[in-house]
Amino acid sequence: LLTIGPVTKRHFQLAGALTAGGAVVLIAGLIVGIDIVFLGGIFLTLAGAAQLVAFGLMWKFYGWREEGSGTRTVWSCQHCGLRFDSYQAAANHEMQCPQGSNVPVPVGGATTIIGVPVAGMPVGAPQQAMQMTPMQPAPYVPGGSMPQQHQPYGGRE
């Protein structure tokens, strides 16, 4: 995962190691004469060089990352994606989330979470088929299905 922002010396060390390792594999491919090893060395060297350029640009624009700053753990709502600093805060929000499965939806019913059984329906129980009633055709009305002629838009009648 590449995050655009301040960099550390570790970024440059790893990218430099990749470039150097790719160069070693490239030279080994030339000496041994195996084309796939040579091609792999080219790809590794180019990938390392691209990382060095990207990290150099990030260093130029954002500078060095402060020591001691790292990652932090956050919890997010599985319905809306809102992030919280604690598990309890996220769990409380999920119980009241307006996009959650506990809120009735006027059309189509409430949302459900994949893998969680629907309340009142035992897991593995066969669902009853919907009773289909045949539709009756609408009675024929002369001129009723013909499109109406309208005046073209333009303000004149």
Side-chain angles (χ1 to χ4, degrees):
L1 175 67
L2 177 65
T3 304
I4 304 295
V7 294
T8 64
K9 293 177 183 173
R10 185 83 172 159
H11 286 95
F12 290 101
Q13 291 170 347
L14 292 174
L18 180 63
T19 306
V24 168
V25 171
L26 188 140
I27 292 170
L30 277 174
I31 293 173
V32 176
I34 301 174
D35 291 338
I36 192 73
V37 174
F38 176 72
L39 185 62
I42 289 175
F43 286 142
L44 289 173
T45 305
L46 290 176
Q51 286 181 0
L52 283 172
V53 169
F55 294 147
L57 289 172
M58 288 168 49
W59 173 73
K60 180 179 179 183
F61 290 114
Y62 301 104
W64 294 107
R65 184 181 300 172
E66 295 177 15
E67 295 297 324
S69 66
T71 60
R72 68 182 184 130
T73 302
V74 295
W75 286 265
S76 62
C77 174
Q78 61 183 332
H79 305 293
C80 68
L82 194 62
R83 296 182 181 149
F84 298 92
D85 290 328
S86 70
Y87 174 82
Q88 191 60 41
N92 290 338
H93 168 79
E94 283 182 357
M95 297 300 288
Q96 301 170 356
C97 180
Q99 298 176 12
S101 58
N102 58 340
V103 178
V105 179
V107 178
T111 60
T112 59
I113 302 167
I114 295 176
V116 175
V118 177
M121 177 69 86
V123 178
Q127 296 180 358
Q128 295 179 353
M130 290 178 50
Q131 298 295 328
M132 300 296 288
T133 57
M135 293 180 58
Q136 299 296 327
Y140 175 73
V141 178
S145 62
M146 299 296 290
Q148 300 288 329
Q149 184 175 6
H150 297 284
Q151 293 291 331
Y153 179 75
R156 297 184 190 166
E157 297 196 25

